[in-house]
Amino acid sequence: MKHSKLALLISAAIFTSAGAYASDENITNVNQSGAENTVVVTQQVASMQNEATVGQTGDRNEAIVTQSDTSLTKALITQLGNDNKGTILQHDATESATATISSTGDENQATIEQQFNNGANAAAVVMQNGSLNEADILQDNGDAANSTIYQNGDGDVAEIRNHWSDFADATITQNVGGGNNAYINQESSDAASAMMTQTGAGNDGDIEQNTQNYGYSAGADDTVATLTQVGDGNRGDIYQSGASSDADVNQQGSFNQADVLQTGDDNMADVDQMGSSDIAYVDQNGQGGMATVMQSGNTFNSATIMQGGVSNAATVNQNGTSNVSLVTQSDFDNIANVDQTNVGNNATVTQSGSASGMGNLATVMQDGLGDSALVEQIGSDNTAIVEQGSGSHDNDIFVYQTGNGNYAGASTELGGDSTVTINQEGNSNYVGILPGASNYYGPNVGAGTFGAENVITIDQIGDNNKAYADSSDFSSEVDIDQNGTENTAIAESWLGSDNDIMISQTGTLHNADVFVNGAGNNMVSITQTDASNTANVTSIGYGNSVT
């Protein structure tokens, strides 16, 4: 033990303090059991009633405590292993600041620095139980900042930086596993709170809160971020530069990656990934947006949500393997829901052009193998519903809507190689259930295929157009093309095979109704041009053809 060297260091520090300023009721406790341990304690300036406690049991440990211009300040360093290093720097008006460092293993390094005006309830705690861990806490001008780092594994690295962060709260917990890397940066983030928990090994998490608000306004930027990683090799990043945003990332599997970027205000993001090698990306640069990503199942799912504008909401739920979702929303009040199950589904939803209070709505539900759905909506009051049911595979659905008041539904079920394409441009277009038209697929779903190798194409350009199409069983094809105003087309084909229905209407006030029921090579083709035309076709039997 180096009692003589220790006594000289402490006495020199106290002498320096007393020589310059009055120092009242300072308390210093030092306990060393091993060899070649070093302790430096400095308490000076008008630092009345300060306390510094250092305890070291192993060998070659180093502890440094500096408290200046402080009152009622406490500092505690406890190191039980070997070759540990702990540093606590509290200076300027750190009257209520408290700093604690505790290390149990070997070769741990911890630094706590609290600077300038650390009054109120500022506190910093670092506890490391393993070996080869590194932890740094910097509270620059963080009044009431509360920073806590706890590491229970080996080779973990954690850093918390608070700058100008009134009422900021940051917590990092890494345990069980080792080799984790955690970083929390709160820059001028009043009322900000960040929490990170990593339980597995080799996880990497970053939380950055940078509102650039140097003038405190209570509740104006109460940003909150939470990141939890339980598996191994996960990567999670949360960046918040807006005010009052909330982000929650939870990754339970291994080798998942989640990125949340919030640059607007009042945004909320929730990412949950329970599989392995899943990727989630959320970018919110508007205001009042809500984004939810839930990915589970096996591996290699990918979900991307990008939202601008105001009050947009997007939800992606994927359960399976190699599913891909892309949701892009701008303008006002858009809602997008994507639900994909099984293997190899692909969904893309793009919505823009909506007016305030009149948002677009898109819902995609896929259950099968290799399904693909694309929905693009521009305008206001558009609604698109895409359903690909149980057992369907290799199906493609495309919905394009541009204009006002459009509605589209599409569904493929129990078939393969089916394609449904709906393109609506204009006003008050509608594809769905019409009076007197039965539908296998349920309410609010127009078009649709049931069987194999079915193709449905609906193209409507004009005003007040309506279309309903149903192609069932094998090799059926329905093609409806309407260009004009007040057109109506209904087409059905049931229980037959090789049926073809073609309807083309150009002009105004057209109406067409087709019904085919049988098992054979039925063909119906209707073409109406100009105005006030009406056609009604019913074909039941074998080998019938109507033109």
Side-chain angles (χ1 to χ4, degrees), residues 66-84:
T66 301
Q67 296 173 330
S68 60
D69 197 23
T70 61
S71 62
L72 303 176
T73 300
K74 296 180 180 180
L76 174 63
I77 295 178
T78 301
Q79 297 173 329
L80 299 177
N82 300 318
D83 299 305
N84 294 305

Side-chain angles (χ1 to χ4, degrees), residues 38-40 54 56 60-66 76-79 83-89 101-103 108-112 126 128 135:
T38 303
V39 175
V40 177
V54 176
Q56 296 176 325
R60 297 175 303 277
N61 294 306
E62 180 180 348
I64 299 174
V65 177
T66 301
L76 174 63
I77 295 178
T78 301
Q79 297 173 329
D83 299 305
N84 294 305
K85 182 177 181 180
T87 303
I88 297 176
L89 302 176
I101 295 178
S102 177
S103 296
N108 293 309
Q109 296 185 20
T111 301
I112 297 176
V126 174
Q128 298 174 327

